[in-house]
Amino acid sequence: MSATTGGASGPPPPSSSPSAAIRLVNLDLNLLLSLRALLTERNVTRAAAALGLSQPAVSAALARLRRHFGDELLTRIGNHYELTPLAVRLVDRTENAVAGVERVFSAAPDFDPAATTREFTLLVSDYATAVLGPPLAAALAERAPEARLRLRPHTPEDVSGADERLRGVDGLLIPHGFVDDLPYLDLYEDRWVLLVARDNPRVGATVTLDDLATLPWVTIYHRPTAFTAAAQQLRAHGIEPHPQVVVESFLPVPELVAGTDRVGLLQGRLAARLRPEDGVRVVPCPFDAAPLVEAMWWHPMYDGDPAHRWLRALLAEVGAALPTIAAVDGGPQAE
């Protein structure tokens, strides 16, 4: 396992000008909790119940927030409320801000995993959840029984804005090739394989690059800023996959390939779990698909946090204990 800071000093610190300090001093941080509840519930009564406050108190908080932002934040549409465009932009920022405040005030010079009630939050794909989630949850339950693990699905926006998003969570689990200039820890390796339907008449024991250019595909994301590394390598060979179905996660790929003439790329660790009744088979990639190295990425502000260091060590241990994957008889198999 390896860790590195990526060689960057990170973004410049926030402004420390007197005017910025005055604005912060004049703000009531309780408004942040009210803002989160209002953005989540989109209803004053439900927000008050979630906060354990009276409805007039939350109505007063909403009025103050409207004055501060110069925006309605919640607008009535028929018999319900909708978020304004500004409020929509504030949803993730508010969640990250609350998480950051909680982390500031829960910080301690020492960390005792057996006694902690901390919630650890990781941004993950369904692939990482399936592979690393169960052993990580088991290890956490054993070593830190009062702690909580929150696995939140990451989005392309989380990845493209990782430097900002990682201020409010413990880490992002994603392979190399998408995030730069942030600290990371390599967890485990995997490889890409091709899936075809077991009864696909257009594919024999192997496929060629020409086959991949003509067969319909199940692709992941398929956006200019969101893709799999293997798909990028395929494009480097001059092959542009024809996406017949596009999904935002990996687990549905086998079902979308089964019984069709589609082809899809899948990680070997997921393919190793396939059963004969799933109706798909693995064929070797006709191009040199570089190994996938899954890593944890985090914001430099957590480098010295004792709880975060403990979590990183636990992730490294769990990742190292995963079985290796080898290609056997044309298909991946756990050793």
Side-chain angles (χ1 to χ4, degrees), residues 43-61:
N43 179 282
V44 173
T45 301
R46 291 198 300 268
L51 292 167
L53 299 174
S54 67
Q55 182 173 335
V58 177
S59 294

Side-chain angles (χ1 to χ4, degrees), residues 35 39 69 73 85-96:
L35 178 60
L39 295 178
F69 288 106
L73 299 177
L86 174 62
V88 170
R89 297 200 302 273
L90 288 173
V91 170
D92 284 342
R93 296 184 187 183
T94 302
E95 196 64 42
N96 289 338

Side-chain angles (χ1 to χ4, degrees), residues 172-183:
L172 167 68
L173 300 191
I174 197 169
H176 285 263
F178 301 92
V179 178
D180 295 311
D181 300 331
L182 286 172

